[in-house]
């Protein structure tokens, strides 16, 4: 767990899906937050819809840490049991991919496990505190299934084990679906071995050709999709942990099943439920099943990862995010505006005089307050981004008004605001620390040489060559300004 930076803030409000309203957040253990996120099924490359979920909950985690909490963030990896179309029948997604790529199932899992984390590293999504894999927790899942059988909420049938939804009247409370109103099978093919078509698998009998198989009290088989998250979240976060997160598409049946499994076995489960909304293409949800998905790797070949992240945090996690050229161009321009101001600020600090600017200090403090208030209110990133734009406008105005000669203390306060809020909370500045400083110094040194060369061209009346240098810089995003006080440049 990361160390708290300040006394934990008691004023955070979040939207709890279970209560269907915003509620004050109160941790089960003062100063600590336990979060569980439903992670990927590692059978193919992640798409931009996955990026929205991961970035959204990365920001939630970072926000709690900014406000002084110690966070244990657990996100699972599904590498067995997730059958095609989320059903109790059909082929395991891992096996289907293994056959397609002529690999062992665990080769597939490892290949796409590392692919997923490469994507997340590129997007500056921090690694979970614990990253449990379903295949590494078979015994915990078997133990939970046995508890359910002993309590009369599950039954064995033909080597498989099913949860008896009729035995648990609260099934459906998260999604608001009444059991009698649910469609038969809930997107599943009805099996004769089920007592009720709405019962879902906790353990599946493995057919002879099924490669992923384990011994169990009910014979050789493999766990159902839902049971892993109940077992692993309880193992690593304990009874009544704070927050369970995931995509809105997992609310039913996956999260509904998780609750039923845990609570029917006698375990207090998640106290708050958070769900991010979808990413859409032309108004339709991006998904592999629809064939309208774009992998994160494909997107990052075209756009700076931080521009992608900026696009995702510019919409609220509970709002739909539209994917397309126009939103990306808007995000690119907005991100450039912020990073240019940050660069100007860092350069101004090198020669800044001692002292401060009371007016700028007050504006910086107001923007910090606005940013933090936005994040306290259900992690409202659009309002937080607006506060960053406000900070950017005031920093640029102060630097322009004073030809960059603003008091060092004020510039340092503004720089800390950018780093703590834009960098620390929103995760928008991936290059930090010594490497970023080295790059900045190299660029500054090169720009000194380029501007000297341009000045020499002008002194020798070689204006075409001077203009060519300036135009080249403009094409790569560097603006050169000739002022009465000399040449100035900015990104």
């Amino acid at each position: 767990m990361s160390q708290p930076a300040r006394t934990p803030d008691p004023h955070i409000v979040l939207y709890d899906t279970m209560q269907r309203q915003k509620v004050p957040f109160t941790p089960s253990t003062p100063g600590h937050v336990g979060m569980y996120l439903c992670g990927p099924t590692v059978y193919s490359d992640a798409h931009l819809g996955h990026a929205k979920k991961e970035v959204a909950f990365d920001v939630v985690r970072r926000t709690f840490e900014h406000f002084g909490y110690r966070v244990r963030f657990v996100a699972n990896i599904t590498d067995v049991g997730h059958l095609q179309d989320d059903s109790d029948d059909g082929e395991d997604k891992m096996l289907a991919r293994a056959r397609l790529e002529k690999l062992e199932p665990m080769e597939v899992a490892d290949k796409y496990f590392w692919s997923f984390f490469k994507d997340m590293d590129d997007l500056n999504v921090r690694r979970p505190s614990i990253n449990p894999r379903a295949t590494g927790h078979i015994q915990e899942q078997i133990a939970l299934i046995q508890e359910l059988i002993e309590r009369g909420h599950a039954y064995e049938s033909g080597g498989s084990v099913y949860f008896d939804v009729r035995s648990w009247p609260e099934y459906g409370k998260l999604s608001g679906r009444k059991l009698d109103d649910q469609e038969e099978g809930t997107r599943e093919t009805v099996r004769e071995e089920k007592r009720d078509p709405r019962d879902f698998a906790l353990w599946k009998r493995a057919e002879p050709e099924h490669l992923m198989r384990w011994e169990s009290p009910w014979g050789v088989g493999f766990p159902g999709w839902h049971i892993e998250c109940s077992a692993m979240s309880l193992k690593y976060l304990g009874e009544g942990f704070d927050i369970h997160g995931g995509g809105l598409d997992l609310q039913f049946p996956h999260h509904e099943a998780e609750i039923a499994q845990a609570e029917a076995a006698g375990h207090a489960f998640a106290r708050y439920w958070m769900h991010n909304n979808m990413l859409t293409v032309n108004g339709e949800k991006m998904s592999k099943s629809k064939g309208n998905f774009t992998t994160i790797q494909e997107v990052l070949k075209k756009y700076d990862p931080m521009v992608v992240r900026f696009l995702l945090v510019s919409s609220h996690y509970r709002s739909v995010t539209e994917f397309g050229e126009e939103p990306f161009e808007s995000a690119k321009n907005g991100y450039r505006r912020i990073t240019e101001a940050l660069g100007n600020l860092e350069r101004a600090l090198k020669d800044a005089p001692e002292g401060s600017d009371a007016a700028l200090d007050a504006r910086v403090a107001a923007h910090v307050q606005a940013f933090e208030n936005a994040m306290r209110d259900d992690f409202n990133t659009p309002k937080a981004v607006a506060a960053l734009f406000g900070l950017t406008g005031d920093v640029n105005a102060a630097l322009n008004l004073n030809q960059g000669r603003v008091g060092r203390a004020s510039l340092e306060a503004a720089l800390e605001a950018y780093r703590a809020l834009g960098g620390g909370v929103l995760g928008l500045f991936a290059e930090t620390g010594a490497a970023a400083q080295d790059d900045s110094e190299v660029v500054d040194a090169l720009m000194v040489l380029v501007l000297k060369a341009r000045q020499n061209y002008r002194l020798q009346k070689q204006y075409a060559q001077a203009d060519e240098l300036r135009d080249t810089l403009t094409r790569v995003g560097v603006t050169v300004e000739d002022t009465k006080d000399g040449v100035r440049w900015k990104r």
Side-chain angles (χ1 to χ4, degrees), residues 221-252:
F222 57 94
W225 174 33
H226 311 306
I227 193 69
E228 66 176 274
C229 288
S230 297
M232 294 190 294
S233 59
L234 288 169
K235 177 180 176 68
Y236 293 109
L237 294 173
E239 303 258 341
F241 63 89
D242 294 310
I243 297 171
H244 193 309
L248 196 60
D249 57 330
L250 296 180
Q251 184 177 339
F252 187 92

Side-chain angles (χ1 to χ4, degrees), residues 363-374:
R363 289 194 290 271
V364 169
H367 294 308
V368 169
Q369 185 69 44
F371 183 102
E372 291 187 333
N373 285 344

Side-chain angles (χ1 to χ4, degrees), residues 242-366:
D242 294 310
I243 297 171
H244 193 309
L248 196 60
D249 57 330
L250 296 180
Q251 184 177 339
F252 187 92
H254 185 54
H255 290 164
E256 203 72 78
E258 281 189 61
I259 295 169
Q261 292 163 159
E263 294 185 349
H267 302 289
F269 206 50
R271 299 168 58 247
Y272 301 92
W273 285 85
M274 297 179 65
H275 291 89
N276 65 281
N277 214 320
M278 300 298 102
L279 188 140
T280 59
V281 181
N282 298 321
E284 282 198 335
K285 172 196 168 187
M286 179 178 287
S287 69
K288 291 175 182 175
S289 61
K290 290 181 178 292
N292 65 346
F293 69 93
T294 301
T295 68
I296 296 172
Q297 293 172 12
E298 290 170 338
V299 171
L300 297 188
K301 289 176 183 176
K302 187 173 183 180
Y303 293 100
D304 181 333
M306 291 300 95
V307 170
V308 176
R309 184 170 178 120
F310 185 78
L311 169 67
L312 295 173
V313 302
S314 294
S315 64
H316 194 270
Y317 79 92
R318 288 195 292 115
S319 299
V320 171
T321 300
E322 176 68 14
F323 168 81
E325 292 296 328
E326 187 175 335
F328 268 119
E329 285 303 313
S330 177
K332 183 168 71 173
N333 293 333
Y335 186 66
R336 182 191 300 123
R337 180 181 166 194
I338 290 174
T339 53
E340 282 180 352
L342 181 56
N344 294 338
L345 185 57
E346 291 171 335
R347 284 187 289 276
L349 257 170
K350 294 179 180 179
D351 301 312
E354 296 301 322
S356 62
D357 179 327
L360 179 58
D361 288 346
R363 289 194 290 271
V364 169

